Amino acid sequence: DAGVIQSPRHEVTEMGQEVTLRCKPISGHNSLFWYRQTMMRGLELLIYFNNNVPIDDSGMPEDRFSAKMPNASFSTLKIQPSEPRDSAVYFCASSLSSGSYEQYFGPGTRLTVT
Amino acid sequence: GESVGLHLPTLSVQEGDNSIINCAYSNSASDYFIWYKQESGKGPQFIIDIRSNMDKRQGQRVTVLLNKTVKHLSLQIAATQPGDSAVYFCAEGWYGQNFVFGPGTRLSVLP
């Protein structure tokens, strides 16, 4: 298996622009997680899905952030409009929701908003 | 990826020595704990987990100890190698809920 796939790996955009991050979880995994990592706040859970349904989005910073999971093999995290404080590394992770809670992380998307 | 807070603890050990990385967790209801390793430019990688009904679990060169009385978790790495240099995170969770990650500890292995 290729593992969790994220794209793009790097994104540089100007303040006010829309940003879309993409994730393909490991085949057969039914839970998907979006995290944000910064030097100031560490690793924060933004939202997670179980069987394509959002379960907990309490970590989403504000209405500018939205996430979707239209099917079991694809998810997006969108920021509109983006702001410089959104600059961070965004990770997607997937897991089997039963048994082990081990999460498999993707390589991350480094977002820079200027 | 850069991954740490401003006050990330750092542990420096000599190659071949044993390393002990500590973590204090916050929720007495947590029943599952995981240690992750994050190398520069990569996502966190699972190392070992432990459930709250255990106080010790061993893997290959790693041991996790859980002390529920004082809400403390530790990761022991035997015969530390240069490839062990990374940031290590503990995460606590409870059944059906998401996980909360600690701030991380940077392990630096000296030649």
Side-chain angles (χ1 to χ4, degrees):
Chain A
D1 198 311
V4 175
I5 299 173
Q6 291 186 247
S7 65
R9 292 295 311 277
H10 301 274
E11 176 80 33
V12 180
T13 191
E14 292 184 346
M15 180 175 62
Q17 297 298 306
E18 177 179 297
V19 175
T20 299
L21 311 181
R22 298 172 174 81
C23 176
K24 176 178 168 56
I26 292 174
S27 178
H29 283 188
N30 50 9
S31 291
L32 183 140
F33 307 79
W34 281 101
Y35 290 89
R36 178 173 65 178
Q37 190 172 48
T38 62
M39 290 186 66
M40 289 296 295
R41 301 174 68 90
L43 195 62
E44 301 175 281
L45 178 68
L46 300 177
I47 185 172
Y48 80 95
F49 296 83
N50 193 38
N51 294 322
N52 311 338
V53 176
I55 302 300
D56 185 351
D57 65 354
S58 59
M60 296 287 261
E62 48 199 271
D63 292 344
R64 297 185 297 107
F65 285 68
S66 62
K68 294 181 179 180
M69 192 166 186
N71 57 62
S73 59
F74 184 66
S75 177
T76 59
L77 177 67
K78 185 176 295 186
I79 309 172
Q80 167 62 22
S82 59
E83 297 182 1
R85 58 192 170 123
D86 301 330
S87 298
V89 180
Y90 291 82
F91 289 104
C92 175
S94 69
S95 72
L96 291 168
S97 61
S98 60
S100 170
Y101 297 124
E102 178 182 350
Q103 297 180 18
Y104 294 78
F105 282 76
T109 295
R110 180 177 294 277
L111 173 65
T112 302
V113 183
T114 61
Chain B
E2 294 161 22
S3 61
V4 302
L6 288 177
H7 303 290
L8 182 74
T10 300
L11 175 66
S12 297
V13 298
Q14 290 292 138
E15 182 179 353
D17 287 352
N18 297 334
S19 303
I20 300 176
I21 301 171
N22 297 305
C23 177
Y25 64 93
S26 58
N27 190 343
S28 57
S30 294
D31 63 1
Y32 188 78
F33 305 88
I34 307 178
W35 279 100
Y36 283 91
K37 171 186 180 183
Q38 187 175 24
E39 297 175 278
S40 181
K42 299 182 179 179
Q45 179 183 13
F46 174 90
I47 301 174
I48 192 168
D49 60 357
I50 188 168
R51 295 186 183 273
S52 61
N53 60 354
M54 303 171 68
D55 54 20
K56 180 179 180 179
R57 190 169 187 214
Q58 289 184 293
Q60 185 177 12
R61 275 202 312 119
V62 295
T63 301
V64 56
L65 299 177
L66 174 63
N67 185 331
K68 295 182 288 295
T69 301
V70 295
K71 293 190 287 187
H72 183 267
L73 196 67
S74 68
L75 176 70
Q76 300 178 2
I77 305 174
T80 311
Q81 303 170 359
D84 296 327
S85 293
V87 176
Y88 290 80
F89 294 94
C90 66
E92 60 176 305
W94 47 100
Y95 181 78
Q97 303 295 323
N98 61 64
F99 284 82
V100 176
F101 282 75
T105 296
R106 183 180 299 280
L107 176 65
S108 177
V109 181
L110 307 174

PDB file of all heavy atoms in Angstrom, chain A residues 30-31 50 95-101, chain B residues 51 95:
ATOM      1  N   ASN A  30     -11.446   3.274   7.659  1.00  0.00           N
ATOM      2  CA  ASN A  30     -12.734   3.952   7.653  1.00  0.00           C
ATOM      3  C   ASN A  30     -12.790   5.174   8.551  1.00  0.00           C
ATOM      4  O   ASN A  30     -13.850   5.764   8.741  1.00  0.00           O
ATOM      5  CB  ASN A  30     -13.872   2.987   8.005  1.00  0.00           C
ATOM      6  CG  ASN A  30     -13.583   2.193   9.256  1.00  0.00           C
ATOM      7  OD1 ASN A  30     -12.621   2.466   9.961  1.00  0.00           O
ATOM      8  ND2 ASN A  30     -14.420   1.207   9.530  1.00  0.00           N
ATOM      9  N   SER A  31     -11.656   5.556   9.119  1.00  0.00           N
ATOM     10  CA  SER A  31     -11.583   6.815   9.865  1.00  0.00           C
ATOM     11  C   SER A  31     -10.511   7.694   9.244  1.00  0.00           C
ATOM     12  O   SER A  31      -9.438   7.208   8.874  1.00  0.00           O
ATOM     13  CB  SER A  31     -11.255   6.564  11.339  1.00  0.00           C
ATOM     14  OG  SER A  31     -12.336   5.928  11.987  1.00  0.00           O
ATOM     15  N   ASN A  50     -15.726   9.342  10.322  1.00  0.00           N
ATOM     16  CA  ASN A  50     -15.861   7.896  10.448  1.00  0.00           C
ATOM     17  C   ASN A  50     -16.868   7.440   9.397  1.00  0.00           C
ATOM     18  O   ASN A  50     -17.996   7.937   9.379  1.00  0.00           O
ATOM     19  CB  ASN A  50     -16.321   7.504  11.847  1.00  0.00           C
ATOM     20  CG  ASN A  50     -16.173   6.017  12.097  1.00  0.00           C
ATOM     21  OD1 ASN A  50     -15.202   5.404  11.662  1.00  0.00           O
ATOM     22  ND2 ASN A  50     -17.121   5.431  12.792  1.00  0.00           N
ATOM     23  N   SER A  95      -7.205   5.538   9.860  1.00  0.00           N
ATOM     24  CA  SER A  95      -7.104   4.384  10.749  1.00  0.00           C
ATOM     25  C   SER A  95      -8.321   3.490  10.558  1.00  0.00           C
ATOM     26  O   SER A  95      -9.326   3.886   9.962  1.00  0.00           O
ATOM     27  CB  SER A  95      -7.023   4.823  12.216  1.00  0.00           C
ATOM     28  OG  SER A  95      -8.271   5.302  12.674  1.00  0.00           O
ATOM     29  N   LEU A  96      -8.193   2.272  11.087  1.00  0.00           N
ATOM     30  CA  LEU A  96      -9.352   1.402  11.219  1.00  0.00           C
ATOM     31  C   LEU A  96     -10.051   1.804  12.499  1.00  0.00           C
ATOM     32  O   LEU A  96      -9.411   1.930  13.537  1.00  0.00           O
ATOM     33  CB  LEU A  96      -8.901  -0.056  11.284  1.00  0.00           C
ATOM     34  CG  LEU A  96      -8.324  -0.642  10.004  1.00  0.00           C
ATOM     35  CD1 LEU A  96      -7.651  -1.984  10.290  1.00  0.00           C
ATOM     36  CD2 LEU A  96      -9.414  -0.809   8.962  1.00  0.00           C
ATOM     37  N   SER A  97     -11.320   2.009  12.446  1.00  0.00           N
ATOM     38  CA  SER A  97     -12.013   2.529  13.625  1.00  0.00           C
ATOM     39  C   SER A  97     -12.266   1.463  14.675  1.00  0.00           C
ATOM     40  O   SER A  97     -12.638   1.762  15.786  1.00  0.00           O
ATOM     41  CB  SER A  97     -13.343   3.164  13.220  1.00  0.00           C
ATOM     42  OG  SER A  97     -14.193   2.204  12.622  1.00  0.00           O
ATOM     43  N   SER A  98     -12.018   0.224  14.355  1.00  0.00           N
ATOM     44  CA  SER A  98     -12.200  -0.815  15.352  1.00  0.00           C
ATOM     45  C   SER A  98     -10.850  -1.454  15.640  1.00  0.00           C
ATOM     46  O   SER A  98      -9.945  -1.415  14.829  1.00  0.00           O
ATOM     47  CB  SER A  98     -13.179  -1.867  14.839  1.00  0.00           C
ATOM     48  OG  SER A  98     -12.704  -2.457  13.656  1.00  0.00           O
ATOM     49  N   GLY A  99     -10.706  -2.005  16.827  1.00  0.00           N
ATOM     50  CA  GLY A  99      -9.430  -2.628  17.162  1.00  0.00           C
ATOM     51  C   GLY A  99      -8.390  -1.583  17.510  1.00  0.00           C
ATOM     52  O   GLY A  99      -8.628  -0.710  18.319  1.00  0.00           O
ATOM     53  N   SER A 100      -7.242  -1.656  16.897  1.00  0.00           N
ATOM     54  CA  SER A 100      -6.173  -0.708  17.174  1.00  0.00           C
ATOM     55  C   SER A 100      -6.578   0.698  16.758  1.00  0.00           C
ATOM     56  O   SER A 100      -7.248   0.896  15.746  1.00  0.00           O
ATOM     57  CB  SER A 100      -4.907  -1.109  16.421  1.00  0.00           C
ATOM     58  OG  SER A 100      -3.937  -0.084  16.483  1.00  0.00           O
ATOM     59  N   TYR A 101      -6.164   1.672  17.541  1.00  0.00           N
ATOM     60  CA  TYR A 101      -6.436   3.059  17.199  1.00  0.00           C
ATOM     61  C   TYR A 101      -5.255   3.710  16.479  1.00  0.00           C
ATOM     62  O   TYR A 101      -5.215   4.920  16.344  1.00  0.00           O
ATOM     63  CB  TYR A 101      -6.763   3.852  18.466  1.00  0.00           C
ATOM     64  CG  TYR A 101      -8.009   3.361  19.168  1.00  0.00           C
ATOM     65  CD1 TYR A 101      -7.971   2.967  20.490  1.00  0.00           C
ATOM     66  CD2 TYR A 101      -9.218   3.293  18.495  1.00  0.00           C
ATOM     67  CE1 TYR A 101      -9.100   2.521  21.136  1.00  0.00           C
ATOM     68  CE2 TYR A 101     -10.356   2.850  19.127  1.00  0.00           C
ATOM     69  CZ  TYR A 101     -10.296   2.466  20.457  1.00  0.00           C
ATOM     70  OH  TYR A 101     -11.428   2.035  21.088  1.00  0.00           O
TER      71      TYR A 101
ATOM     72  N   ARG B  51      -2.816   0.017  26.491  1.00  0.00           N
ATOM     73  CA  ARG B  51      -4.152   0.280  27.023  1.00  0.00           C
ATOM     74  C   ARG B  51      -4.064   0.482  28.532  1.00  0.00           C
ATOM     75  O   ARG B  51      -3.110   0.050  29.180  1.00  0.00           O
ATOM     76  CB  ARG B  51      -5.081  -0.881  26.672  1.00  0.00           C
ATOM     77  CG  ARG B  51      -5.313  -1.006  25.188  1.00  0.00           C
ATOM     78  CD  ARG B  51      -6.348  -2.066  24.833  1.00  0.00           C
ATOM     79  NE  ARG B  51      -6.481  -2.211  23.387  1.00  0.00           N
ATOM     80  CZ  ARG B  51      -7.292  -1.487  22.634  1.00  0.00           C
ATOM     81  NH1 ARG B  51      -8.056  -0.556  23.181  1.00  0.00           N
ATOM     82  NH2 ARG B  51      -7.354  -1.676  21.331  1.00  0.00           N
ATOM     83  N   TYR B  95     -12.049   5.431  24.296  1.00  0.00           N
ATOM     84  CA  TYR B  95     -12.779   4.669  23.297  1.00  0.00           C
ATOM     85  C   TYR B  95     -13.772   5.548  22.561  1.00  0.00           C
ATOM     86  O   TYR B  95     -14.612   6.212  23.168  1.00  0.00           O
ATOM     87  CB  TYR B  95     -13.509   3.502  23.944  1.00  0.00           C
ATOM     88  CG  TYR B  95     -14.268   2.678  22.942  1.00  0.00           C
ATOM     89  CD1 TYR B  95     -13.618   1.766  22.131  1.00  0.00           C
ATOM     90  CD2 TYR B  95     -15.643   2.839  22.777  1.00  0.00           C
ATOM     91  CE1 TYR B  95     -14.309   1.022  21.196  1.00  0.00           C
ATOM     92  CE2 TYR B  95     -16.349   2.105  21.845  1.00  0.00           C
ATOM     93  CZ  TYR B  95     -15.667   1.194  21.065  1.00  0.00           C
ATOM     94  OH  TYR B  95     -16.340   0.469  20.141  1.00  0.00           O
TER      95      TYR B  95
END
